[in-house]
Amino acid sequence: MHNKTLAEIIAGLNSGAFSSVEITGHLLNRIRQLDPQYNSFITVTAEAALASAEAADRQRASGNAPLFCGVPIAHKDIFCTNGVRTSCGSKMLDNFVPPYDATVVENFAQAGAVILGKTNMDEFAMGSSNETSYYGPVKNPWDVNCVPGGSSGGSAAALAARLTPGATATDTGGSIRQPAALCGVTGLKPTYGRVSRWGMVAFASSLDQAGPMARSAEDCALMLNAMASFDPRDSTSIDREVPDYTANLNQPLSSLKIGIPKEYFGEGLNPGTEQAVREALTEYEKQGATLVDISLPHSHLAVPAYYVIAPAEASANLSRFDGVRYGYRCEDPKDLRDLYMRTRGEGFGDEVKRRILVGAYCLSAGYYDAYYRKAQQVRHLIKQDFVDAFATVDVIMGPTSPSPAFAFGAKGDDPVAMYLEDVFTIATNLAGLPGMSLPCGFVDNRPVGLQIIGNYFDEGLMLNAAHQFQRATDWHQRAPEGLE
Amino acid sequence: MQWETVIGLEVHVQLATQSKIFSGASTAFGAEPNTQACAIDLAMPGTLPVPNEQAFRDAIMFGLAIDADIARTSMFERKNYFYPDLPKAYQTTQLEKPIVGRGHVDIELADGSKKSIRIHHAHLEEDAGKSLHEGSFEIHGHGMTGIDLNRAGTPLIEIVSEPDMRNAEEAVAFARKLHSIVTSLGICDGNMSQGSMRFDVNISVRPKGSDTFGTRTETKNLNSFKFMEDAIALEVERQIDLIEDGGKVIQETRLYNGDTKQARAMRSKEEANDYRYFPCPDLLPIVFEDDYIEQIRQSLPELPDARRDRFIEQYGLSRYDANSLSGDAAVAQFFQTAAAGSDAKLAANWIMGELSARLNAEDRVIQDSPVSADQLAGMIARLKDGTISSKMAKQVFDAMWNGEGDADGIIEARGLKQVSDSGAIEALVDDVIANSPQQVDNYRNADDAKRPKMLGYFVGQIMKASKGQANPQQVNDVLLEKLNALL
């Protein structure tokens, strides 16, 4: 039952093959039994989940069931949930219970979904290995000695371990796609503005975007149908009709032009990863698509630009955690300065502090032009690379991350090596473009992700391309041994 | 040495919007602490700002009123600093692309001279909350600081002038003119005691004739014209004394206390924050179409200068009176209502005289006047038609002030009608003349030049006999006629 996709669960609930209480109960049991090994959940809301499953079953019996009625999913612990602790993976918010729902949470509630709990993540979404979580690292279900990727590592691992059939996630520089790749699941970061950021704890506001994670492209399409909306509470939300993302999944790919950026196949790419990606591209050719060699000449500037812009925005976004109104407050502050220094010193982990310091430095008088302004100029060039590329191709494909999952601690002492994990994903965030990752093979029993980058609002086309690949292959159906 | 003062102002004007600049919480003044602060104002995680369109309209109205350039694209920046009443630890404000560009405000001084004060720019921003410090707030007997976030997120425009003012009179005239403009536009309630307008005054001195500026200080948060005048005088004197004693002015922020009439340094430039401004990524640049601005221009209400000119033209007021009555939008409205139902010049005199004195004495604004414009008009109508004398009018005014109702009712109830019946007045005059043979003789024998002074006695007697109700003008006329007939 836990192997079922969202589409299969919806069909099963519709046909009466099983009830929401049954599948919800089954997954909650599984989480109770297995998650101690993976640590993919920070909070499991078992009681509330069963109560809403019961309510969903009644609603379904009354003949008025919305799409996700009774379908269990999990939310990344970055989305505010009314009455349920929202920690963002940080000691700073360990005691924080929001009095409001994120729009994404609201949208799923309206669609009838049952929430199993809140998934683990890198602290404030800062990390590519889930090692920065205050609640301890998430283990990769394919190899518990390896990281699941980050920052949405909890969502990805929970999917791989068959603890949930769908999970929300967020992506600021690759935080949906890289863990999806490392855990062998499918994840989509939509166009910036497609999904509301209201109620999503901010990391870097101009880059943050929420998206679905599931075990198939079809499931991602179903989830995106529920998630995406224009939200007047988010000034960067885009007022544009939400299409039915499942509508075009079965279009043939015979006229599809796929851009292959030479910069994504250079030095630093694991040979096994490259081989898996090349074989996936061959499958696309087999389906009639055309591969076109392209160049994204400013690709090498994406990581440095990102590590100026994202920390700069984060340094301001995280200033509100000051111990005055909510969240962690140090014991017995002796004065205001002490309150600030110790609250923030004790409440934040090292990686968060590192980024706040980097960000504050880049914005400081005398450095702003050299760092922040320059990075914004680079951002513009990177966006232009994509605009030029999409003049000739429909989608761009390449590896999601340079190598498969690595061992815990392998990059712990070297932030730059960790930052290079996102070398292929960051540019799309800087450009605001949609990107997705889907399983396309293995290296030493560790999954490899194929990345698809689309033009603005081309999520439908990307999902179509991914779905057609998944119809012809079974990489996405593979489960870690013992978790089938 | 002769010194010249150089003054520039930064003025914070609270916009009279219903809700805050980036949230839907109410901006009403005086509510219980923290009852008008929503999740956005509290900077709860995941909350986002949504701009209030009315704040843009208000700022554009101001820009048009001072003949300024309106930015076609405007954007917000974050100004980062930690303070407990600043929930996000940054203020959302404007730096690189303020909504209102260069403009000017024209002032008129007491001697009738005019001056144009250049505006460097005006930008939109959010207000912070308030810290209630030790003494005003206690928990368990310990001095604590309380935070009230009701004001957090209230929309402000900050108006920055060029250093064009040369003395306190000019600065106060400029401040008053701004007050007049924003209240006339209806974009600010103008209530200074509630902090609706707050003035930061940059002051420096230099030897007269010098064309470089001296080091300036900034005296912050003055919220009355009187405090501003006093604070400028104090700071100018301090700077001149300092320099003449061989010292140097250091760039610093100062606080003036209106109660003790003293100022102290708050922080020097060296201690100033690096605010690390950068564009707010939660708010996209705002583009204003020409049509949008044009439509606001068309809907601009009458501005103070135009109103003054109209008062001179329409009501025949002197320039001085017209200036006094047109500056404050509420006063102007009061005057127009009162004048419409009575007599413009009398209405002007009563508003600038009795009413204004009574309001000042009780520290009230005209909106809170116990005597309404209609009531004043009613009283003036009776004064003008001779029903009551000026002296009676003062009694009627007092009664209206005390809430006794309209003039007609008071006149009736108190029997205040003056006698204008010529027969009755002639009888009174005849009686007094008959009863004052000695005074009549004196009058008859006096020089022409002395006679007018001798009328007082007769008038006094007649008014006394009439219990003060005889129409004094009529009494004068009849008396003169009858006395002269005896010559």
Side-chain angles (χ1 to χ4, degrees):
Chain A
M1 195 177 246
H2 49 264
N3 246 322
K4 291 188 186 307
T5 63
L6 290 169
E8 287 163 352
I9 292 169
I10 290 168
L13 290 169
N14 278 338
S15 71
F18 49 83
S19 68
S20 173
V21 170
E22 282 173 299
I23 183 146
T24 302
H26 174 75
L27 291 170
L28 287 170
N29 277 334
R30 201 171 155 83
I31 291 168
R32 195 175 313 121
Q33 285 162 14
L34 296 176
D35 202 46
Q37 294 172 62
Y38 305 116
N39 197 26
S40 66
F41 280 85
I42 290 174
T43 302
V44 179
T45 51
E47 224 168 287
L50 285 171
S52 58
E54 279 173 27
D57 284 336
R58 282 196 301 275
Q59 191 181 359
R60 188 172 289 278
S62 77
N64 175 28
L67 180 65
F68 276 82
C69 186
V71 178
I73 61 160
H75 285 306
K76 184 178 180 179
D77 208 20
I78 199 170
F79 294 102
C80 286
T81 39
N82 192 349
V84 176
R85 188 256 307 264
T86 300
S87 73
C88 218
S90 180
K91 180 180 180 183
M92 189 61 92
L93 291 177
D94 182 50
N95 64 1
F96 177 63
V97 179
Y100 47 89
D101 277 331
T103 300
V104 163
V105 172
E106 237 174 51
N107 286 351
F108 273 110
Q110 253 164 34
V114 169
I115 307 308
L116 298 168
K118 308 289 294 288
T119 58
N120 203 347
M121 55 183 286
D122 279 298
E123 184 179 8
F124 285 106
M126 296 176 184
S128 304
S129 67
N130 231 294
E131 292 170 292
T132 72
S133 170
Y134 172 63
Y135 301 91
V138 176
K139 311 270 174 65
N140 191 323
W142 291 92
D143 180 344
V144 291
N145 297 311
C146 285
V147 304
S151 65
S152 311
S155 292
L159 281 158
R162 273 60 181 166
L163 305 179
T164 181
T168 56
T170 61
D171 190 317
T172 304
S175 281
I176 291 177
R177 292 159 288 163
Q178 184 255 11
L182 269 51
C183 289
V185 302
T186 305
L188 169 67
K189 177 203 100 71
T191 307
Y192 183 79
R194 178 75 289 186
V195 175
S196 169
R197 292 188 296 116
W198 170 263
M200 198 175 109
V201 181
F203 161 14
S205 312
S206 75
L207 302 159
D208 294 345
Q209 180 62 201
M213 235 189 227
R215 285 193 295 266
S216 73
E218 183 186 16
D219 284 2
C220 284
L222 287 166
M223 284 182 75
L224 190 56
N225 278 351
M227 278 179 99
S229 62
F230 167 62
D231 185 358
R233 292 176 297 186
D234 172 1
S235 303
T236 61
S237 169
I238 292 171
D239 190 359
R240 184 181 167 117
E241 200 187 336
V242 179
D244 176 0
Y245 291 107
T246 63
N248 295 315
L249 291 176
N250 288 313
Q251 292 294 316
L253 303 181
S254 49
S255 62
L256 190 72
K257 276 196 230 155
I258 303 172
I260 312 299
K262 65 175 187 209
E263 292 80 5
Y264 285 26
F265 292 87
E267 205 185 331
L269 180 61
N270 177 296
T273 298
E274 175 165 5
Q275 192 189 337
V277 169
R278 296 256 184 225
E279 282 168 14
L281 295 174
T282 305
E283 169 58 32
Y284 276 103
E285 279 188 300
K286 221 162 37 178
Q287 295 196 22
T290 314
L291 304 187
V292 183
D293 287 329
I294 61 165
S295 173
L296 300 169
H298 297 97
S299 292
H300 64 292
L301 297 176
V303 170
Y306 175 89
Y307 278 98
V308 170
I309 292 167
E313 293 182 11
S315 72
N317 281 336
L318 271 61
S319 292
R320 65 188 60 196
F321 304 110
D322 57 6
V324 174
R325 296 168 310 287
Y326 51 76
Y328 180 75
R329 176 188 287 187
C330 68
E331 293 279 332
D332 293 326
K334 67 176 198 289
D335 56 24
L336 182 61
R337 189 179 163 80
D338 188 43
L339 169 72
Y340 284 154
M341 304 258 290
R342 282 203 289 122
T343 294
R344 292 168 65 77
E346 295 162 14
F348 289 136
D350 287 349
E351 182 60 26
V352 171
K353 286 181 202 165
R354 173 162 30 240
R355 298 203 196 185
I356 290 173
L357 289 171
V358 167
Y361 179 85
C362 294
L363 292 173
S364 297
Y367 298 98
Y368 183 91
D369 287 340
Y371 291 101
Y372 186 80
R373 200 185 295 280
K374 186 67 80 185
Q376 291 292 6
Q377 289 163 349
V378 169
R379 184 176 188 171
H380 184 74
L381 294 175
I382 286 168
K383 181 180 169 180
Q384 197 54 47
D385 281 357
F386 284 107
V387 170
D388 294 345
F390 283 118
T392 53
V393 301
D394 303 312
V395 293
I396 293 168
M397 291 191 192
T400 302
S401 76
S403 54
F406 48 92
F408 286 104
K411 301 183 182 185
D413 297 335
D414 186 352
V416 175
M418 188 71 88
Y419 297 167
L420 288 172
E421 265 301 293
D422 299 326
V423 65
F424 302 133
T425 49
I426 271 175
T428 54
N429 297 78
L430 290 170
L433 289 165
M436 71 182 293
S437 180
L438 60 157
C440 70
F442 289 86
V443 175
D444 304 331
N445 198 38
R446 286 170 293 162
V448 172
L450 170 71
Q451 183 174 211
I452 306 179
I453 299 168
N455 207 342
Y456 297 103
F457 299 102
D458 264 357
E459 289 85 354
L461 177 64
M462 295 157 64
L463 287 161
N464 167 218
H467 181 66
Q468 290 307 305
F469 180 79
Q470 292 184 338
R471 283 184 62 181
T473 61
D474 69 349
W475 303 113
H476 63 294
Q477 289 167 341
R478 308 275 184 97
E481 208 181 319
L483 293 170
E484 302 90 349
Chain B
M1 189 186 293
Q2 286 264 53
W3 295 93
E4 182 177 55
T5 306
V6 176
I7 301 171
L9 258 60
E10 290 167 29
V11 185
H12 288 91
V13 174
Q14 266 186 17
L15 297 177
T17 54
Q18 297 289 303
S19 59
K20 295 185 177 179
I21 186 167
F22 299 122
S23 86
S26 166
T27 53
F29 180 84
E32 283 293 298
N34 297 311
T35 56
Q36 289 182 172
C38 68
I40 296 169
D41 305 321
L42 264 60
M44 300 288 270
T47 60
L48 295 168
V50 175
N52 179 345
E53 189 194 350
Q54 189 60 44
F56 296 116
R57 300 186 75 94
D58 288 356
I60 291 171
M61 279 174 91
F62 175 74
L64 295 172
I66 63 161
D67 196 18
D69 306 325
I70 308 297
R72 289 307 191 264
T73 301
S74 189
M75 56 188 262
F76 286 101
E77 270 95 354
R78 293 179 178 181
K79 177 183 181 181
N80 295 284
Y81 64 97
F82 283 95
Y83 204 72
D85 61 23
L86 186 72
K88 296 189 295 288
Y90 57 80
Q91 181 193 29
T92 307
T93 179
Q94 300 194 297
L95 182 69
E96 283 195 21
K97 292 184 177 171
I99 185 160
V100 175
R102 292 182 180 283
H104 61 92
V105 169
D106 300 333
I107 57 171
E108 213 168 292
L109 301 167
D111 64 3
S113 63
K114 294 173 190 174
K115 188 164 181 176
S116 186
I117 308 296
R118 291 170 300 155
I119 301 297
H120 180 270
H121 76 272
H123 63 259
L124 275 168
E125 63 185 24
E126 58 183 343
D127 210 341
K130 279 183 189 163
S131 295
L132 310 167
H133 288 298
E134 211 164 346
S136 62
F137 187 84
E138 285 192 358
I139 287 181
H140 310 313
H142 297 292
M144 305 279 274
T145 296
I147 308 293
D148 177 6
L149 296 176
N150 283 354
R151 202 181 64 182
T154 297
L156 302 175
I157 46 174
E158 180 175 338
I159 302 160
V160 180
S161 85
E162 296 286 1
D164 284 354
M165 289 150 279
R166 293 292 172 266
N167 54 50
E169 190 202 351
E170 291 180 6
V172 172
F174 172 71
R176 283 188 184 279
K177 190 61 176 286
L178 282 181
H179 183 271
S180 169
I181 291 170
V182 298
T183 53
S184 297
L185 291 170
I187 62 172
C188 174
D189 67 14
N191 196 324
M192 311 266 289
S193 63
Q194 290 177 3
S196 296
M197 279 185 90
R198 309 192 291 269
F199 300 91
D200 300 342
V201 189
N202 287 292
I203 303 168
S204 62
V205 297
R206 62 181 174 189
K208 209 164 177 75
S210 163
D211 55 4
T212 55
F213 292 128
T215 303
R216 68 166 193 268
T217 63
E218 182 180 22
T219 303
K220 285 190 91 80
N221 261 326
L222 300 165
N223 68 345
S224 93
F225 300 125
K226 180 75 185 124
F227 288 170
M228 186 196 280
E229 196 175 341
D230 294 348
I232 291 171
L234 189 70
E235 177 60 10
V236 168
E237 193 186 326
R238 187 189 73 88
Q239 290 189 12
I240 292 174
D241 286 352
L242 193 63
I243 299 170
E244 290 186 339
D245 290 350
K248 265 173 122 175
V249 175
I250 55 165
Q251 192 174 336
E252 64 188 4
T253 304
R254 299 181 65 81
L255 265 189
Y256 175 77
N257 183 325
D259 297 328
T260 62
K261 297 197 183 305
Q262 288 180 332
R264 63 178 171 83
M266 203 160 74
R267 59 169 183 264
S268 73
K269 189 192 175 193
E270 284 68 35
E271 299 165 70
N273 287 315
D274 174 359
Y275 290 116
R276 303 191 310 277
Y277 281 93
F278 76 104
C280 179
D282 285 327
L283 294 162
L284 302 172
I286 299 118
V287 176
F288 302 107
E289 309 278 352
D290 288 349
D291 283 357
Y292 185 82
I293 294 167
E294 203 43 47
Q295 175 234 325
I296 293 172
R297 190 195 304 276
Q298 297 304 326
S299 69
L300 278 186
E302 185 178 42
L303 289 165
D305 287 354
R307 188 159 56 216
R308 176 200 58 217
D309 295 345
R310 179 169 63 81
F311 281 9
I312 294 170
E313 171 83 5
Q314 181 181 342
Y315 297 110
L317 298 184
S318 69
R319 191 171 181 88
Y320 180 84
D321 288 359
N323 264 326
S324 301
L325 292 168
S326 63
D328 185 306
V331 171
Q333 188 51 50
F334 195 99
F335 164 71
Q336 290 181 98
T337 307
S342 59
D343 175 277
K345 282 184 183 163
L346 283 172
N349 290 339
W350 275 88
I351 292 167
M352 291 187 301
E354 191 69 17
L355 180 67
S356 151
R358 296 292 288 262
L359 290 171
N360 283 341
E362 296 188 15
D363 201 16
R364 292 182 190 230
V365 292
I366 203 158
Q367 292 93 318
D368 304 330
S369 168
V371 177
S372 73
D374 286 329
Q375 285 177 322
L376 184 64
M379 187 202 82
I380 292 169
R382 295 291 83 81
L383 186 59
K384 204 183 170 201
D385 70 12
T387 306
I388 54 171
S389 64
S390 300
K391 206 171 164 192
M392 290 172 182
K394 286 226 166 45
Q395 288 180 54
V396 173
F397 185 87
D398 282 346
M400 293 195 299
W401 186 273
N402 294 328
E404 291 176 33
D406 292 346
D408 286 342
I410 293 165
I411 291 167
E412 185 69 37
R414 298 196 172 190
L416 285 175
K417 271 182 194 166
Q418 78 178 345
V419 176
S420 300
D421 171 44
S422 52
I425 287 176
E426 277 186 40
L428 283 168
V429 173
D430 288 343
D431 271 2
V432 169
I433 288 178
N435 293 330
S436 314
Q438 186 58 50
Q439 284 79 3
V440 173
D441 271 355
N442 292 348
Y443 183 84
R444 234 183 338 218
N445 298 329
D447 297 341
D448 278 2
K450 285 192 175 164
R451 281 192 188 122
K453 286 187 184 164
M454 302 173 79
L455 289 173
Y457 165 79
F458 298 100
V459 172
Q461 292 298 310
I462 296 161
M463 293 306 287
K464 198 170 160 190
S466 78
K467 298 195 177 71
Q469 299 196 351
N471 182 326
Q473 190 57 50
Q474 258 179 307
V475 168
N476 259 325
D477 294 348
V478 174
L479 176 67
L480 211 54
E481 190 184 314
K482 288 193 184 276
L483 282 177
N484 289 347
L486 299 173
L487 292 180

